[in-house]
């Protein structure tokens, strides 16, 4: 079978992970081009990944007839116009989340996807490809917990990285848009329903810099869904023990808990402190396999003409809910989501 020829845009923290997977780990695709506004990243692509064609201008890359598909891992505000430009140039597109930084941008991306029904578009909600989350979804579909009526999601970044979070706080769009989007997508996916209203609040106890930047260090939001189900998202930036992502889905006949203890592995250290399980340290470590599995899915969807499970509409809906959550947090009021 023909190999899918991919050009990647953005080779920052996550771009390097995707680029390495495409170049070295997925047999039926190749990384033929890379684009970045940072010369050092283009040099990295050439030297470390053997990419021959590098571009400082995204428009130039999408014109390249040697490329079948574009993978977008640039700054979030760039995603929507880059999606549109690539689709209009006849390329299949994988874009990192969030789809856009506001609903208007998302609608523009939706229109571009609709203009090109023959091209594949997939959004990077990689948790859906994590083996534990995919298992939970399958069990729910099989009726293992009856009717799911509550999702409780926790996502707390490690305190070890808090300085970066503080620097980014002014431009983060607020803690819920910045950190809650994966959990929002998972609630919709597990409950099979759309959120209709949200109430949210935030707090800052350790690092006043977050408040000074108009943000918060931690936040909680509760949601009501169309079918009567409920959701609760707890986000934060200061877990002293590591990277804490945990999800619980409660149903009429049972409960599924994913990463109830966010452990690094199954080893236990027995010493004078007791019996200890080390915590997973960061998102690239926790979701290393999911990033690979989602890219394999994208490549396979393009090559076989299958539609990916995550659509452009999932991106718009999650962004809309993220905005409503932010409004609820800022105003202290219950916000209806339409
Ligand atoms: N799915 C996940 O779990 C997950 C995790 C982290 C980041 N992300 C998303 O991935 C994206 C990238 O995040 P990151 O942490 O790697 O950011 P980053 O700042 O480390 O990298 C972004 C890169 O985009 C490049 N860039 C920016 N504008 C560009 C343009 N116009 N043309 C070409 N290149 C351009 C920059 O050179 C930069 O290296 C963000 O949208 C982020 O939300 C997703």
């Amino acid at each position: 079978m023909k190999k899918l020829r991919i050009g990647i845009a953005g080779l920052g923290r996550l771009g390097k992970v995707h680029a390495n997977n495409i170049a070295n780990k997925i047999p039926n695709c190749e990384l033929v081009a890379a684009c970045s506004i940072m010369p050092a990243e283009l040099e990295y692509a050439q030297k470390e990944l053997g990419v021959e064609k590098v571009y400082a201008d995204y428009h130039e890359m999408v014109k390249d007839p040697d490329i079948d598909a574009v993978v977008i891992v640039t700054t979030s505000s760039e995603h929507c116009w880059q999606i549109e430009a690539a689709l209009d140039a006849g390329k299949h597109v994988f874009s990192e989340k969030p789809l856009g930084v506001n609903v208007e941008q998302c609608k523009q991306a939706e229109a571009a996807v609709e203009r090109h029904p023959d091209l594949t578009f997939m959004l990077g909600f990689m948790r859906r490809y994590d083996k534990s989350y995919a298992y939970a979804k399958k069990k729910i579909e099989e009726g293992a917990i009856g009717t799911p009526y509550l999702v409780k999601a926790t996502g707390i970044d490690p305190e070890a990285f808090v300085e970066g979070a503080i620097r980014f706080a002014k431009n983060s769009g607020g803690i819920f848009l910045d950190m809650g989007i994966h959990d929002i997508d998972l609630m919709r996916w597990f409950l099979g329903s759309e959120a209709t209203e949200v109430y949210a609040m935030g707090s800052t106890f350790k690092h006043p810099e977050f408040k000074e930047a108009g943000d918060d260090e931690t936040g909680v939001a509760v949601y009501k869904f169309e079918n009567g189900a409920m959701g609760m998202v707890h986000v934060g930036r200061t877990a002293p023990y590591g990277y804490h992502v945990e999800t619980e889905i409660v149903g009429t006949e049972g409960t599924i808990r994913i990463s109830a203890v966010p452990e690094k592995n199954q080893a236990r250290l027995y010493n004078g402190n007791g019996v200890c399980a080390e915590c997973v340290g960061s998102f690239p470590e926790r979701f290393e396999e999911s990033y690979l599995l989602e890219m394999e899915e994208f490549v396979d969807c393009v090559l076989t003409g299958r539609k990916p499970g995550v659509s452009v509409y999932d991106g718009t809906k999650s962004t809309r809910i993220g905005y409503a959550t932010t409004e609820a947090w800022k105003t202290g009021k219950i916000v209806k989501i339409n």
Side-chain angles (χ1 to χ4, degrees):
M1 190 188 272
K2 167 186 176 296
K3 283 191 177 192
L4 188 71
R5 294 165 304 172
I6 297 178
I8 192 164
L11 286 150
R13 267 188 327 166
L14 187 58
K16 287 193 179 75
V17 174
H18 283 312
N20 186 39
N21 285 343
I22 295 163
N24 300 317
K25 298 190 184 167
I26 306 176
N28 50 356
C29 67
E30 51 191 324
L31 189 62
V32 296
C35 169
S36 173
I37 50 173
M38 293 170 77
E41 291 181 0
L42 298 179
E43 202 180 316
Y44 167 85
Q46 285 173 313
K47 288 203 176 136
E48 304 294 326
L49 302 171
V51 176
E52 283 177 12
K53 296 182 177 186
V54 293
Y55 295 90
D57 181 349
Y58 181 80
H59 289 288
E60 289 302 316
M61 184 172 84
V62 298
K63 275 197 251 163
D64 186 337
D66 284 345
I67 295 172
D68 303 313
V70 173
V71 167
I72 299 169
V73 205
T74 53
T75 314
S76 304
S77 55
E78 306 294 293
H79 294 179
C80 285
W81 75 260
Q82 292 185 335
I83 291 167
E84 189 175 20
L87 289 167
D88 286 345
K91 314 296 182 194
H92 304 280
V93 176
F94 172 96
S95 171
E96 252 315 320
K97 66 85 207 161
L99 178 60
V101 292
N102 57 52
V103 174
E104 291 69 35
Q105 275 191 5
C106 294
K107 287 281 170 195
Q108 183 188 336
E110 277 185 11
V113 171
E114 286 164 4
R115 273 200 304 280
H116 301 285
D118 48 324
L119 295 173
T120 301
F121 173 81
M122 178 169 159
L123 188 67
F125 279 138
M126 84 300 177
R127 287 194 199 172
R128 293 197 192 190
Y129 297 90
D130 176 82
K131 284 188 177 159
S132 302
Y133 284 98
Y135 173 83
K137 175 72 174 170
K138 185 164 171 284
K139 284 289 155 193
I140 291 168
E141 283 171 353
E142 288 170 2
I145 60 164
T147 303
Y149 64 82
L150 171 66
V151 174
K152 295 191 260 179
T154 301
I156 313 176
D157 274 347
E159 171 96 45
F161 299 155
V162 77
E163 281 182 13
I166 289 171
R167 271 199 305 278
F168 184 59
K170 239 188 193 136
N171 301 313
S172 75
I175 189 161
F176 290 103
L177 276 167
D178 184 26
M179 301 198 56
I181 204 88
H182 286 294
D183 298 309
I184 288 169
D185 176 61
L186 288 175
M187 283 191 303
R188 298 177 51 247
W189 192 50
F190 285 134
L191 295 171
S193 185
E194 295 300 335
T196 55
E197 59 184 63
V198 54
Y199 179 62
M201 63 188 92
S203 70
T204 300
F205 281 92
K206 285 179 107 170
H207 301 280
E209 296 94 324
F210 284 109
K211 267 269 185 273
E212 288 157 17
D215 203 353
D216 257 322
E217 182 179 270
T218 188
V220 173
V222 287
Y223 299 85
K224 187 171 171 184
F225 283 75
E226 222 160 19
N227 66 359
M230 299 164 286
M232 195 207 86
V233 171
H234 169 201
V235 284
R237 292 178 164 128
T238 53
Y241 42 85
Y243 178 60
H244 185 164
V245 164
E246 173 189 350
T247 310
E248 180 173 350
I249 308 120
V250 187
T252 52
E253 307 299 330
T255 291
I256 302 175
R257 296 186 77 172
I258 302 159
S259 309
V261 177
E263 59 201 9
K264 192 179 195 69
N265 53 39
Q266 299 208 356
R268 295 292 175 274
L269 175 64
Y270 293 65
N271 64 13
N273 295 323
V275 183
C276 303
E278 205 179 320
C279 184
V280 65
S282 63
F283 74 83
E285 182 186 347
R286 167 63 181 87
F287 291 109
E288 181 183 5
E289 188 185 34
S290 322
Y291 294 122
L292 177 61
L293 292 174
E294 72 172 351
M295 199 55 70
E296 284 176 349
E297 172 72 357
F298 172 66
V299 172
D300 192 62
C301 282
V302 175
L303 293 176
T304 61
R306 231 172 7 94
K307 283 271 171 234
V310 191
S311 74
V312 70
Y313 306 106
D314 290 312
T316 309
K317 285 175 182 161
S318 303
T319 301
R320 197 187 292 286
I321 298 169
Y323 264 88
T325 310
T326 302
E327 189 186 335
W329 160 56
K330 294 222 156 141
T331 61
K333 294 190 174 141
I334 294 174
V335 173
K336 302 270 181 205
I337 306 163
N338 48 38

